[in-house]
Amino acid sequence: MSTPSLHTQISTILATFTSSPTAFGNDIINAIRLVSAEEGKLVLEWDVKEGDAVLNHVGSVHGAVYAFLVDNLTSLALFSLPNAHTMSPPGGVSSTINMTYIAAAKPGDTLVILAEAVKLGRSLAVTECTITRKNGNAVLAKGTHVKFVGAKL
């Protein structure tokens, strides 16, 4: 169950992802809705619209967009942990992102993104993300994201 204070905290952090007006993906981040927030687990939604700049030449969501969602939203999931303040730099730095692409999303689809913090250690964090289509629950993509979160770079 999503707690109001955690939901507000995560929504506030999500809004800071677009603090630079020219940041890559602002249009995507601004369109994402936080559905629920629990410790280490976020559920978000995003509507794919006709004419979105995220579509590839065959009219489906480009795979790089899935990777962008995994990168940003699993990082956001880390902030839902009680020991998130120990990450240095805040949110960490990506080490690896492994993607599995399963099916295409098209305009009109609502994507449900489950972003989970699996482990936050002293130097590494491990996260996972599953992206599904809301209607029918078809899995579209899965990602694992490892981040460096230790103070020494």
Side-chain angles (χ1 to χ4, degrees):
M1 171 65 62
S2 188
T3 62
S5 61
L6 184 57
H7 195 279
T8 301
Q9 173 189 340
I10 296 300
S11 293
T12 301
I13 294 169
L14 181 60
T16 67
F17 283 17
T18 60
S19 59
S20 170
T22 58
F24 175 79
N26 275 356
D27 50 342
I28 299 168
I29 295 294
N30 284 328
I32 289 175
R33 298 178 303 280
L34 178 62
V35 175
S36 67
E38 299 174 24
E39 186 177 305
K41 181 178 175 181
L42 306 178
V43 177
L44 307 104
E45 290 184 349
W46 176 53
D47 299 322
V48 181
K49 296 189 169 86
E50 190 69 50
D52 275 354
V54 301
L55 303 178
N56 60 24
H57 67 284
V58 295
S60 61
V61 174
H62 194 284
V65 175
Y66 291 138
F68 171 81
L69 292 171
V70 169
D71 182 5
N72 283 273
L73 301 180
T74 58
S75 297
L76 187 64
L78 288 171
F79 285 106
S80 70
L81 297 174
N83 56 338
H85 67 281
T86 64
M87 291 185 288
S88 178
V93 178
S94 295
S95 175
T96 61
I97 298 177
N98 295 304
M99 295 297 303
T100 302
Y101 301 101
I102 301 163
K106 302 243 181 213
D109 287 340
T110 296
L111 306 188
V112 177
I113 303 123
L114 171 62
E116 296 182 275
V118 177
K119 178 177 172 59
L120 176 57
R122 284 179 286 158
S123 60
L124 293 176
V126 178
T127 64
E128 295 178 339
C129 185
T130 302
I131 302 170
T132 60
R133 186 178 295 116
K134 189 172 185 177
N135 297 337
N137 291 328
V139 176
L140 305 175
K142 292 178 145 272
T144 302
H145 187 194
V146 177
K147 301 194 80 172
F148 175 78
V149 294
K152 296 177 183 171
L153 289 175

mmCIF file of all heavy atoms in Angstrom, residues 32-62:
data_model
loop_
_atom_site.group_PDB
_atom_site.id
_atom_site.type_symbol
_atom_site.label_atom_id
_atom_site.label_comp_id
_atom_site.label_asym_id
_atom_site.label_seq_id
_atom_site.Cartn_x
_atom_site.Cartn_y
_atom_site.Cartn_z
ATOM 1 N N ILE A 32 4.677 10.833 -17.205
ATOM 2 C CA ILE A 32 4.585 9.646 -16.349
ATOM 3 C C ILE A 32 3.784 9.961 -15.089
ATOM 4 O O ILE A 32 3.935 11.014 -14.487
ATOM 5 C CB ILE A 32 6.000 9.137 -15.999
ATOM 6 C CG1 ILE A 32 6.635 8.528 -17.243
ATOM 7 C CG2 ILE A 32 5.964 8.126 -14.861
ATOM 8 C CD1 ILE A 32 8.069 8.110 -17.052
ATOM 9 N N ARG A 33 2.921 9.019 -14.728
ATOM 10 C CA ARG A 33 2.109 9.149 -13.507
ATOM 11 C C ARG A 33 2.575 8.119 -12.474
ATOM 12 O O ARG A 33 2.700 6.933 -12.800
ATOM 13 C CB ARG A 33 0.630 8.904 -13.813
ATOM 14 C CG ARG A 33 0.029 9.877 -14.780
ATOM 15 C CD ARG A 33 -1.438 9.567 -15.085
ATOM 16 N NE ARG A 33 -1.680 8.238 -15.610
ATOM 17 C CZ ARG A 33 -1.494 7.866 -16.874
ATOM 18 N NH1 ARG A 33 -1.019 8.723 -17.755
ATOM 19 N NH2 ARG A 33 -1.775 6.629 -17.264
ATOM 20 N N LEU A 34 2.822 8.589 -11.266
ATOM 21 C CA LEU A 34 3.150 7.683 -10.160
ATOM 22 C C LEU A 34 1.842 7.128 -9.616
ATOM 23 O O LEU A 34 0.993 7.874 -9.136
ATOM 24 C CB LEU A 34 3.926 8.430 -9.067
ATOM 25 C CG LEU A 34 4.297 7.622 -7.835
ATOM 26 C CD1 LEU A 34 5.224 6.462 -8.191
ATOM 27 C CD2 LEU A 34 4.950 8.529 -6.791
ATOM 28 N N VAL A 35 1.665 5.817 -9.709
ATOM 29 C CA VAL A 35 0.440 5.155 -9.248
ATOM 30 C C VAL A 35 0.564 4.782 -7.780
ATOM 31 O O VAL A 35 -0.334 5.028 -6.988
ATOM 32 C CB VAL A 35 0.135 3.911 -10.108
ATOM 33 C CG1 VAL A 35 -1.070 3.152 -9.569
ATOM 34 C CG2 VAL A 35 -0.072 4.305 -11.563
ATOM 35 N N SER A 36 1.704 4.175 -7.421
ATOM 36 C CA SER A 36 1.912 3.810 -6.022
ATOM 37 C C SER A 36 3.396 3.785 -5.704
ATOM 38 O O SER A 36 4.230 3.589 -6.587
ATOM 39 C CB SER A 36 1.277 2.451 -5.695
ATOM 40 O OG SER A 36 1.943 1.414 -6.370
ATOM 41 N N ALA A 37 3.684 3.991 -4.427
ATOM 42 C CA ALA A 37 5.064 4.001 -3.942
ATOM 43 C C ALA A 37 5.125 3.270 -2.605
ATOM 44 O O ALA A 37 4.421 3.638 -1.664
ATOM 45 C CB ALA A 37 5.562 5.434 -3.776
ATOM 46 N N GLU A 38 5.925 2.217 -2.594
ATOM 47 C CA GLU A 38 6.214 1.490 -1.369
ATOM 48 C C GLU A 38 7.725 1.463 -1.214
ATOM 49 O O GLU A 38 8.451 1.760 -2.165
ATOM 50 C CB GLU A 38 5.695 0.053 -1.454
ATOM 51 C CG GLU A 38 4.204 -0.069 -1.640
ATOM 52 C CD GLU A 38 3.786 -1.518 -1.861
ATOM 53 O OE1 GLU A 38 4.522 -2.435 -1.428
ATOM 54 O OE2 GLU A 38 2.749 -1.722 -2.484
ATOM 55 N N GLU A 39 8.190 1.077 -0.061
ATOM 56 C CA GLU A 39 9.632 0.984 0.155
ATOM 57 C C GLU A 39 10.243 0.016 -0.865
ATOM 58 O O GLU A 39 9.910 -1.170 -0.893
ATOM 59 C CB GLU A 39 9.916 0.506 1.577
ATOM 60 C CG GLU A 39 11.368 0.507 1.938
ATOM 61 C CD GLU A 39 11.580 0.081 3.384
ATOM 62 O OE1 GLU A 39 10.976 0.689 4.283
ATOM 63 O OE2 GLU A 39 12.368 -0.870 3.586
ATOM 64 N N GLY A 40 11.066 0.560 -1.749
ATOM 65 C CA GLY A 40 11.749 -0.246 -2.744
ATOM 66 C C GLY A 40 10.938 -0.631 -3.968
ATOM 67 O O GLY A 40 11.419 -1.368 -4.815
ATOM 68 N N LYS A 41 9.720 -0.134 -4.090
ATOM 69 C CA LYS A 41 8.853 -0.567 -5.191
ATOM 70 C C LYS A 41 7.943 0.577 -5.638
ATOM 71 O O LYS A 41 7.186 1.118 -4.837
ATOM 72 C CB LYS A 41 8.012 -1.750 -4.727
ATOM 73 C CG LYS A 41 7.083 -2.315 -5.770
ATOM 74 C CD LYS A 41 6.342 -3.510 -5.192
ATOM 75 C CE LYS A 41 5.317 -4.042 -6.132
ATOM 76 N NZ LYS A 41 4.591 -5.173 -5.556
ATOM 77 N N LEU A 42 8.040 0.905 -6.929
ATOM 78 C CA LEU A 42 7.186 1.936 -7.509
ATOM 79 C C LEU A 42 6.392 1.350 -8.663
ATOM 80 O O LEU A 42 6.893 0.515 -9.420
ATOM 81 C CB LEU A 42 8.026 3.099 -8.048
ATOM 82 C CG LEU A 42 9.013 3.768 -7.094
ATOM 83 C CD1 LEU A 42 9.781 4.853 -7.837
ATOM 84 C CD2 LEU A 42 8.299 4.328 -5.882
ATOM 85 N N VAL A 43 5.162 1.816 -8.812
ATOM 86 C CA VAL A 43 4.343 1.488 -9.975
ATOM 87 C C VAL A 43 3.992 2.814 -10.638
ATOM 88 O O VAL A 43 3.490 3.734 -9.984
ATOM 89 C CB VAL A 43 3.061 0.716 -9.589
ATOM 90 C CG1 VAL A 43 2.204 0.459 -10.826
ATOM 91 C CG2 VAL A 43 3.415 -0.599 -8.893
ATOM 92 N N LEU A 44 4.293 2.897 -11.932
ATOM 93 C CA LEU A 44 4.053 4.128 -12.688
ATOM 94 C C LEU A 44 3.341 3.775 -13.986
ATOM 95 O O LEU A 44 3.360 2.617 -14.430
ATOM 96 C CB LEU A 44 5.383 4.826 -13.003
ATOM 97 C CG LEU A 44 6.279 5.065 -11.793
ATOM 98 C CD1 LEU A 44 7.425 4.074 -11.760
ATOM 99 C CD2 LEU A 44 6.781 6.473 -11.758
ATOM 100 N N GLU A 45 2.708 4.782 -14.598
ATOM 101 C CA GLU A 45 2.041 4.586 -15.879
ATOM 102 C C GLU A 45 2.448 5.677 -16.852
ATOM 103 O O GLU A 45 2.758 6.799 -16.449
ATOM 104 C CB GLU A 45 0.520 4.597 -15.719
ATOM 105 C CG GLU A 45 -0.033 3.404 -14.997
ATOM 106 C CD GLU A 45 -1.546 3.373 -14.935
ATOM 107 O OE1 GLU A 45 -2.211 4.385 -15.273
ATOM 108 O OE2 GLU A 45 -2.085 2.322 -14.525
ATOM 109 N N TRP A 46 2.399 5.312 -18.131
ATOM 110 C CA TRP A 46 2.718 6.256 -19.200
ATOM 111 C C TRP A 46 1.893 5.897 -20.425
ATOM 112 O O TRP A 46 1.851 4.742 -20.836
ATOM 113 C CB TRP A 46 4.212 6.205 -19.517
ATOM 114 C CG TRP A 46 4.649 7.060 -20.659
ATOM 115 C CD1 TRP A 46 4.414 8.383 -20.831
ATOM 116 C CD2 TRP A 46 5.406 6.646 -21.786
ATOM 117 N NE1 TRP A 46 4.985 8.821 -21.996
ATOM 118 C CE2 TRP A 46 5.602 7.769 -22.602
ATOM 119 C CE3 TRP A 46 5.948 5.434 -22.187
ATOM 120 C CZ2 TRP A 46 6.306 7.720 -23.792
ATOM 121 C CZ3 TRP A 46 6.658 5.387 -23.373
ATOM 122 C CH2 TRP A 46 6.833 6.514 -24.158
ATOM 123 N N ASP A 47 1.212 6.898 -20.991
ATOM 124 C CA ASP A 47 0.401 6.710 -22.187
ATOM 125 C C ASP A 47 1.222 7.019 -23.428
ATOM 126 O O ASP A 47 1.807 8.103 -23.532
ATOM 127 C CB ASP A 47 -0.826 7.641 -22.155
ATOM 128 C CG ASP A 47 -1.735 7.367 -20.974
ATOM 129 O OD1 ASP A 47 -1.911 6.191 -20.626
ATOM 130 O OD2 ASP A 47 -2.247 8.340 -20.396
ATOM 131 N N VAL A 48 1.260 6.073 -24.368
ATOM 132 C CA VAL A 48 1.946 6.280 -25.640
ATOM 133 C C VAL A 48 0.954 6.965 -26.576
ATOM 134 O O VAL A 48 -0.149 6.469 -26.775
ATOM 135 C CB VAL A 48 2.419 4.941 -26.252
ATOM 136 C CG1 VAL A 48 3.140 5.181 -27.566
ATOM 137 C CG2 VAL A 48 3.296 4.190 -25.266
ATOM 138 N N LYS A 49 1.362 8.111 -27.112
ATOM 139 C CA LYS A 49 0.464 8.901 -27.949
ATOM 140 C C LYS A 49 0.944 8.936 -29.401
ATOM 141 O O LYS A 49 2.146 8.908 -29.677
ATOM 142 C CB LYS A 49 0.353 10.313 -27.408
ATOM 143 C CG LYS A 49 -0.287 10.358 -26.023
ATOM 144 C CD LYS A 49 -0.591 11.769 -25.592
ATOM 145 C CE LYS A 49 -1.454 11.772 -24.375
ATOM 146 N NZ LYS A 49 -0.760 11.677 -23.133
ATOM 147 N N GLU A 50 -0.004 9.010 -30.313
ATOM 148 C CA GLU A 50 0.303 9.163 -31.732
ATOM 149 C C GLU A 50 1.120 10.434 -31.931
ATOM 150 O O GLU A 50 0.822 11.466 -31.337
ATOM 151 C CB GLU A 50 -1.005 9.252 -32.538
ATOM 152 C CG GLU A 50 -0.827 9.167 -34.027
ATOM 153 C CD GLU A 50 -0.380 7.796 -34.484
ATOM 154 O OE1 GLU A 50 -0.992 6.793 -34.084
ATOM 155 O OE2 GLU A 50 0.606 7.734 -35.242
ATOM 156 N N GLY A 51 2.160 10.350 -32.718
ATOM 157 C CA GLY A 51 2.990 11.514 -32.985
ATOM 158 C C GLY A 51 4.087 11.755 -31.967
ATOM 159 O O GLY A 51 4.885 12.665 -32.129
ATOM 160 N N ASP A 52 4.138 10.929 -30.911
ATOM 161 C CA ASP A 52 5.219 11.061 -29.925
ATOM 162 C C ASP A 52 6.566 10.875 -30.618
ATOM 163 O O ASP A 52 6.711 10.031 -31.511
ATOM 164 C CB ASP A 52 5.090 10.009 -28.819
ATOM 165 C CG ASP A 52 4.158 10.409 -27.691
ATOM 166 O OD1 ASP A 52 3.689 11.558 -27.691
ATOM 167 O OD2 ASP A 52 3.900 9.564 -26.813
ATOM 168 N N ALA A 53 7.543 11.624 -30.183
ATOM 169 C CA ALA A 53 8.892 11.518 -30.745
ATOM 170 C C ALA A 53 9.595 10.237 -30.304
ATOM 171 O O ALA A 53 10.736 10.024 -30.645
ATOM 172 C CB ALA A 53 9.716 12.740 -30.340
ATOM 173 N N VAL A 54 8.929 9.386 -29.565
ATOM 174 C CA VAL A 54 9.527 8.150 -29.059
ATOM 175 C C VAL A 54 9.290 6.970 -29.994
ATOM 176 O O VAL A 54 9.752 5.868 -29.734
ATOM 177 C CB VAL A 54 8.984 7.809 -27.653
ATOM 178 C CG1 VAL A 54 9.280 8.926 -26.674
ATOM 179 C CG2 VAL A 54 7.499 7.508 -27.703
ATOM 180 N N LEU A 55 8.572 7.198 -31.075
ATOM 181 C CA LEU A 55 8.220 6.102 -31.983
ATOM 182 C C LEU A 55 9.315 5.887 -33.022
ATOM 183 O O LEU A 55 9.926 6.838 -33.506
ATOM 184 C CB LEU A 55 6.894 6.402 -32.675
ATOM 185 C CG LEU A 55 5.705 6.667 -31.740
ATOM 186 C CD1 LEU A 55 4.467 6.993 -32.543
ATOM 187 C CD2 LEU A 55 5.453 5.491 -30.808
ATOM 188 N N ASN A 56 9.542 4.637 -33.368
ATOM 189 C CA ASN A 56 10.528 4.322 -34.400
ATOM 190 C C ASN A 56 9.870 4.348 -35.786
ATOM 191 O O ASN A 56 8.696 4.712 -35.913
ATOM 192 C CB ASN A 56 11.218 2.982 -34.109
ATOM 193 C CG ASN A 56 10.241 1.819 -34.062
ATOM 194 O OD1 ASN A 56 9.153 1.861 -34.638
ATOM 195 N ND2 ASN A 56 10.625 0.764 -33.367
ATOM 196 N N HIS A 57 10.605 3.933 -36.788
ATOM 197 C CA HIS A 57 10.125 4.026 -38.165
ATOM 198 C C HIS A 57 8.940 3.111 -38.477
ATOM 199 O O HIS A 57 8.266 3.302 -39.483
ATOM 200 C CB HIS A 57 11.273 3.750 -39.149
ATOM 201 C CG HIS A 57 11.762 2.337 -39.109
ATOM 202 N ND1 HIS A 57 12.563 1.870 -38.090
ATOM 203 C CD2 HIS A 57 11.555 1.300 -39.941
ATOM 204 C CE1 HIS A 57 12.824 0.595 -38.303
ATOM 205 N NE2 HIS A 57 12.231 0.226 -39.426
ATOM 206 N N VAL A 58 8.656 2.126 -37.633
ATOM 207 C CA VAL A 58 7.496 1.266 -37.858
ATOM 208 C C VAL A 58 6.323 1.629 -36.947
ATOM 209 O O VAL A 58 5.319 0.933 -36.915
ATOM 210 C CB VAL A 58 7.855 -0.234 -37.715
ATOM 211 C CG1 VAL A 58 8.824 -0.662 -38.797
ATOM 212 C CG2 VAL A 58 8.391 -0.552 -36.338
ATOM 213 N N GLY A 59 6.469 2.731 -36.221
ATOM 214 C CA GLY A 59 5.361 3.245 -35.420
ATOM 215 C C GLY A 59 5.221 2.664 -34.033
ATOM 216 O O GLY A 59 4.191 2.864 -33.384
ATOM 217 N N SER A 60 6.231 1.967 -33.550
ATOM 218 C CA SER A 60 6.181 1.456 -32.179
ATOM 219 C C SER A 60 7.238 2.175 -31.334
ATOM 220 O O SER A 60 8.131 2.837 -31.863
ATOM 221 C CB SER A 60 6.407 -0.060 -32.153
ATOM 222 O OG SER A 60 7.662 -0.409 -32.672
ATOM 223 N N VAL A 61 7.110 2.035 -30.023
ATOM 224 C CA VAL A 61 8.049 2.688 -29.111
ATOM 225 C C VAL A 61 9.451 2.115 -29.345
ATOM 226 O O VAL A 61 9.647 0.892 -29.362
ATOM 227 C CB VAL A 61 7.621 2.495 -27.640
ATOM 228 C CG1 VAL A 61 8.674 3.035 -26.685
ATOM 229 C CG2 VAL A 61 6.285 3.182 -27.392
ATOM 230 N N HIS A 62 10.411 3.005 -29.530
ATOM 231 C CA HIS A 62 11.803 2.598 -29.760
ATOM 232 C C HIS A 62 12.357 1.938 -28.509
ATOM 233 O O HIS A 62 12.057 2.346 -27.377
ATOM 234 C CB HIS A 62 12.642 3.829 -30.121
ATOM 235 C CG HIS A 62 13.967 3.502 -30.687
ATOM 236 N ND1 HIS A 62 15.014 3.056 -29.901
ATOM 237 C CD2 HIS A 62 14.429 3.527 -31.963
ATOM 238 C CE1 HIS A 62 16.062 2.827 -30.669
ATOM 239 N NE2 HIS A 62 15.740 3.112 -31.929
#
